[in-house]
Amino acid sequence: MVIALSIVHGLVLFGFFIAMAVSWFGSSADIKDCSRFAGIVVGALVLATLPILVLSGALAVVLAAFGLVIGLARTFLFTAVGASCCAGAGFAAFPLIKPGLGGLDGHAARVPLGPTLVVALVVAGAWCAYTFVLFSVFTPELSDIAQRLIGEAENLDGSESAAIAAIGVCVIAFEEELVYRLGIQNLVARYFGWWDRRYWLAILISATIWTIGHVGTLEPGWVKLAQIFPAGIALGWLARKHGIEACIVAHAVFNIAAYWMGENGVLPV
């Protein structure tokens, strides 16, 4: 079941990758501004990933081959097309970004930094609290696959392992929000014309795909799905109301907090 769902998730992501590529090539002139900004985003992601590659030793070859080629190409396309979808609908994908940065369209309304961060932290805090209660009641354990991945990092000394984990969970949050919330969610909304009250359907689809991508990390598996799906709905709402930056902050804060709680025995995994 886990393998089947993983294959389905991979095929769905590949399908969206093709759709993003077709959309980008089909409207390359209109998407030019968003593409320049996507290039800046990918450059920032490369800089953030470099410390992981340096500290990971033997893992660096695998990470470089996949993360810096396929992963970065995917991030570029999903960011450019997702931001273009938002611009076409009349709202800013990155409402905290200064208009004009990287050619990003600045016509949509900006939002204040303070309230956006507050909402992001509230979402992250609620996600942490929900996870704590859920995991305390059902006491899940890491799956064999997750234990093997963690075992690779434990071969490093404590400081290197902590540094890789801190950077890694933030990079994961950054990439996942660009792919699922900015890219998939808004491409679906544009394709079906769901920019009105039906936008929640696009949120539901992106949250479902994101949830399937987390199968096989915990035992029993349904606990992870129960943890992730509501968070996907909340992050989808956050992206629509407050922009993708708020999603990235909320996701990164949760990832760091969850890692800390796991390392210190607060969570039973």
Side-chain angles (χ1 to χ4, degrees):
M1 184 64 175
V2 171
I3 295 176
L5 288 176
S6 297
I7 292 174
V8 169
H9 178 257
L11 291 175
V12 169
L13 281 188
F14 180 73
F16 272 102
F17 182 88
I18 297 300
M20 293 287 177
V22 170
S23 180
W24 189 84
F25 283 109
S27 58
S28 57
D30 297 334
I31 210 172
K32 181 173 61 177
D33 290 345
C34 295
S35 296
R36 285 201 293 267
F37 183 76
I40 293 177
V41 170
V42 168
L45 189 59
V46 170
L47 292 177
T49 306
L50 285 178
I52 299 178
L53 300 181
V54 171
L55 294 172
S56 296
L59 292 177
V61 176
V62 177
L63 289 173
F66 179 78
L68 295 182
V69 179
I70 299 176
L72 293 179
R74 183 186 69 177
T75 300
F76 173 83
L77 283 176
F78 281 57
T79 301
V81 175
S84 176
C85 291
C86 292
F91 69 92
F94 298 87
L96 295 179
I97 299 296
K98 181 180 179 181
L101 178 62
L104 190 67
D105 181 17
H107 297 299
R110 305 289 117 181
V111 298
L113 175 61
T116 299
L117 291 180
V118 169
V119 174
L121 293 176
V122 168
V123 170
W127 190 2
C128 287
Y130 170 65
T131 297
F132 176 79
V133 172
L134 183 68
F135 284 19
S136 296
V137 172
F138 296 103
T139 59
E141 297 181 353
L142 290 173
S143 67
D144 292 338
I145 296 175
Q147 289 181 27
R148 285 197 296 268
L149 292 174
I150 292 175
E152 293 286 345
E154 289 178 345
N155 292 329
L156 304 169
D157 64 40
S159 60
E160 289 183 344
S161 179
I164 288 177
I167 298 170
V169 295
C170 290
V171 169
I172 289 171
F174 190 74
E175 283 192 304
E176 287 190 354
E177 294 311 311
L178 294 177
V179 168
Y180 293 94
R181 249 62 66 179
L182 178 59
I184 291 176
Q185 187 168 293
N186 290 304
L187 184 66
V188 168
R190 185 178 73 176
Y191 182 82
F192 290 104
W194 289 342
W195 296 114
D196 51 15
R197 293 180 179 179
R198 294 172 295 176
Y199 189 82
W200 70 269
L201 293 170
I203 294 176
L204 183 64
I205 290 173
S206 67
T208 300
I209 297 171
W210 183 57
T211 300
I212 294 174
H214 288 79
V215 298
T217 56
L218 292 181
E219 295 292 345
W222 69 265
V223 176
K224 187 64 177 178
L225 304 185
Q227 177 209 19
I228 290 298
F229 184 72
I233 298 295
L235 290 170
W237 168 84
L238 195 61
R240 181 63 181 89
K241 295 296 184 180
H242 298 276
I244 199 65
E245 303 108 325
C247 287
I248 293 171
V249 171
H251 197 158
V253 169
F254 169 79
N255 281 2
I256 292 173
Y259 171 76
W260 179 87
M261 288 190 291
E263 286 294 296
N264 290 275
V266 179
L267 292 180
V269 290

